[in-house]
Amino acid sequence: MKSLPKKFLEPRLDESYMYAPLSYLIIYIELKKIFCGQYYSDHILQIIKVHRPPDKMLHNFILY
């Protein structure tokens, strides 16, 4: 994902602000590198404070 052009990682909608960090977090969890994913977890929490996503999107966070 880090090799993707930045324009593909920039959000187009308020809800999409967390797609990229959530994707990184999921990858690190699957790789069992939880410590590496901490940055993205913290980032997602900050995003949620500013851009309240719909409840159905928050469900994704409960799964991980």
Side-chain angles (χ1 to χ4, degrees):
M1 282 190 55
K2 290 183 179 182
S3 65
L4 289 172
K6 229 177 183 176
K7 70 178 184 178
F8 294 121
L9 297 175
E10 291 177 3
R12 294 188 185 132
L13 304 169
D14 278 348
E15 321 178 336
S16 62
Y17 275 90
M18 65 182 80
Y19 288 136
L22 178 59
S23 296
Y24 280 110
L25 179 59
I26 291 169
I27 289 167
Y28 282 121
I29 288 171
E30 293 295 322
L31 292 173
K32 298 186 181 1
K33 294 184 176 186
I34 306 300
F35 183 75
C36 295
Q38 183 65 48
Y39 167 80
Y40 297 102
S41 177
D42 294 341
H43 187 82
I44 290 167
L45 291 173
Q46 292 300 321
I47 291 171
I48 289 172
K49 288 178 185 177
V50 176
H51 303 280
R52 173 73 179 159
D55 289 340
K56 70 177 187 171
M57 179 174 247
L58 290 175
H59 177 71
N60 291 332
F61 298 103
I62 295 169
L63 296 176
Y64 289 96

